[in-house]
Structures are given as C-alpha cells and as structure tokens.
Amino acid sequence: MTGGFSRPAWRLPIFAVFALLVLSALSGCSSLLWGSQQAPIVDATVMPVEPASAPVAASAPEPVETEASEPEQPKKPKKPVVKPHKVEPPPPVVTPAPPPPPPPPLIVLRTIERNEARALLDSEVQKPDGKVVGRAVDLIADALGKPREMVVNLQGFLGVGDRKVNFPWSAFRFTPAAKAAPITLNATAVPATAAKPAPVQLPLIDATVERSNGAKVGRVIDVLIDANAQPQAVVLDVNGMVSTERRTIAANWSALHFVTKDKELHPLLDLSDAQINATPPYASDKPIRAVSPAPPAAPASAPAPAPAAAAPAAAATSTAIAVSSARAAR
C-alpha cells in the first residue's frame, strides 16, 4: 500500500515483547513497594537474543594478579624441651632365702666284700697240717669290745666225745678267702684256764642287743671276722623286734658298746625302729652292708652380718674426715 503510515523496518520478537511487559509489571510493583522510586528506564532497542538452543561456552576465569610478596623465611625448628628425668632409686635387692638343708641321713652303711670277712659261727677249724679238728661256736669279748677267747667244738670219733673248749683268741689265724677251713689253730695252742679270776666277759652268740633305754634291738646270730682277726660286724636277728617278718641285718662292730649291769656285760646298739627298717637285709651270698647310726647333725653356723650394718660406720668415718678437713682449712 502507498498510503497511510509506513511500517517500521524492524519487528520485535514475541518473547521480547513478553519480557518488556514483565519488566513493566515489576517496575510498577516496585514503585508501589518503595514509594517514589523511579523505575529504571529500559532502552527499547533490545538486542536480538540468540535462541536458547545455542549455549554460550563459559570462558576460563582470568588470572588474578597479586602483588609480589617476599619469599617466606624457613621456620627454625623448635628445640625439643627436655624435661629432667626423675631418677628412681633401684628396687631393693631381695636375697632369696637359702634352700632348707637336706634332712640328716638315718643310717650310715659300709660295704664289706665277702673275701674281706668271714662268718665265725660253724666255720671249720683246722690244724696247720690241714686236718679239721672242730668248728667255731662262739666268741667271747671283754667290756672294751676286744675278743678274748674263741669257743671251739672239738670233734670226737663219729660224734662221740665232742666237747667245747675255750682257746685264747691269739691262738687262731683267719683266712676269709680260703676255700678250705678259714680258721687255723696253732699247734702249740693250749686251752684257756680259769686259774686267774677273769674280767667280766660276754659270749656274743645268742646275746641280746639293747638300746640305751633298755628296748631290745635284736639277737646276735653271727660275727664277721677279717684277715687280721678283728671283728668287723655282727649279724642280728630282728625278728619280732620291729616287724613280724623274719629279717637279719649286719651292724658295724664299732657301733656296739658294752656296759656292765649287775656284774654282767650287755651289748648296746642305738638303732631306732626307723633305722632298722632302713637297713638292707643281710644275705650270705651278697656283699655285706653293715649299718651304723648316723652321727648327730652339726649345729647350724651363725649367719654372717648383713652388709648394710657397715653403712653407719662408713658414714661416721666420712663425717669425721669432713670435720677434720674443715678445721684444717680454718
């Protein structure tokens, strides 16, 4: 058309018009809320907005320049605070108590080999030419325990005329290891006579051995003699004394003591029931274990003084030296 008003050369998009209307409404509301504040003037020339389908890439943030600062000084390491360590006194040394001493032994045993001693009872007695003349049947000892005589049962013809004769102990020679007769009677030996009153003596075979309190220990059934004609032990039958079983034990000759009571000699041996039970039995085919009572235990020695007892004396000496030095300095 040629007449009328000319149309503008550009048109606003619909969504731009809508945006302007919304801004106008908001400006009116703000004027109502804040009074006479003037609404912002919006330029009507609005730049065309690109469609939302083409998002704009976010640009990288520009680096912020900072003022050049001085380089930081390295921090000096702090010295560790060392607290003084409190020295605790060492714990007291506890000395362990010494172990208790072992119990004292009940008995003392001595071993006698079979070739060192021979039983006296029923041993054959021969003359120097080897002819057997009888058998030994007893030993007679004095109050000191020294053998004085031997009783020999001299053989007669076919057992007729046998008689017991006492010979001096010095008239015999003993050979315990001999296979033949172990006892030899001197050819010049003569029977012992009772012309002089003899001291109190004791035939040992079948003698009862007692303790010091009068209790019975056993009965002598044999005596063991060595090659020097010295008694080494006696064999005791303790049947019925401490047990019901039949037992024989060997006791050292040195353990015997002889005392005189009512003009009679009595052998004593201080062996308790426990000591007798602890003694091995005597056997003719085994080594001889002769028993003796154990000696009494030695008294315990006094304990040594403790080392701490010397400390006061040392302190007193140090004090005296210090006082002397102070006086000398004055």
Side-chain angles (χ1 to χ4, degrees):
M1 290 183 67
T2 59
F5 296 96
S6 60
R7 295 181 179 180
W10 52 271
R11 293 180 182 181
L12 293 175
I14 296 175
F15 63 90
V17 176
F18 181 74
L20 291 175
L21 292 176
V22 171
L23 289 175
S24 300
L26 289 175
S27 63
C29 293
S30 61
S31 61
L32 292 176
L33 291 174
W34 300 103
S36 62
Q37 281 187 342
Q38 186 176 358
I41 300 173
V42 180
D43 190 359
T45 62
V46 180
M47 296 297 294
V49 180
E50 295 181 359
S53 59
V56 180
S59 61
E62 296 181 357
V64 180
E65 294 183 358
T66 58
E67 296 181 357
S69 59
E70 297 181 359
E72 295 183 357
Q73 297 291 336
K75 296 182 179 180
K76 296 182 179 180
K78 295 182 179 180
K79 294 183 179 180
V81 179
V82 180
K83 296 182 179 180
H85 180 67
K86 185 178 180 182
V87 179
E88 297 182 358
V93 179
V94 180
T95 304
L106 284 176
I107 57 176
V108 176
L109 294 174
R110 181 171 67 101
T111 301
I112 305 173
E113 299 296 335
R114 282 291 171 179
N115 58 356
E116 297 176 359
R118 186 71 175 262
L120 174 72
L121 186 62
D122 286 337
S123 293
E124 291 183 337
V125 179
Q126 65 180 3
K127 287 185 177 182
D129 58 1
K131 182 180 179 181
V132 176
V133 296
R135 293 178 179 273
V137 294
D138 210 342
L139 182 153
I140 298 176
D142 60 13
L144 298 177
K146 183 178 179 180
R148 305 294 296 188
E149 299 176 0
M150 182 191 296
V151 181
V152 179
N153 186 20
L154 296 178
Q155 297 176 355
F157 181 72
L158 298 178
V160 178
D162 291 356
R163 58 193 179 98
K164 294 179 180 179
V165 179
N166 292 19
F167 290 93
W169 187 259
S170 58
F172 298 95
R173 178 167 52 89
F174 294 84
T175 311
K179 295 182 180 180
I183 304 174
T184 301
L185 178 63
N186 295 337
T188 59
V190 295
T193 60
K196 297 180 180 180
V200 179
Q201 297 179 353
L202 173 68
L204 278 178
I205 302 300
D206 288 335
T208 300
V209 179
E210 301 175 348
R211 301 186 185 118
S212 300
N213 57 5
K216 293 182 179 180
V217 176
R219 181 175 60 89
V220 179
I221 60 175
D222 213 336
V223 183
L224 305 177
I225 312 295
D226 65 3
N228 297 321
Q230 296 299 319
Q232 294 299 310
V234 292
V235 181
L236 300 176
D237 181 6
V238 294
N239 179 36
M241 303 297 177
V242 295
S243 62
T244 56
E245 62 176 343
R246 185 174 184 84
R247 289 186 65 221
T248 56
I249 63 173
N252 279 305
W253 181 265
S254 59
L256 285 175
H257 302 282
F258 298 88
V259 296
T260 303
K261 293 181 181 179
D262 301 329
K263 298 182 180 182
E264 293 183 358
L265 205 58
H266 297 268
L268 300 181
L269 179 61
D270 287 325
L271 276 179
S272 65
D273 293 351
Q275 290 171 327
I276 293 174
N277 288 329
T279 303
Y282 171 82
S284 58
D285 58 344
K286 294 181 180 180
I288 304 161
R289 306 293 302 279
V291 64
S292 294
S301 59
T317 304
S318 302
T319 305
I321 294 174
V323 172
S324 300
S325 301
R327 291 178 179 176
R330 292 177 185 177

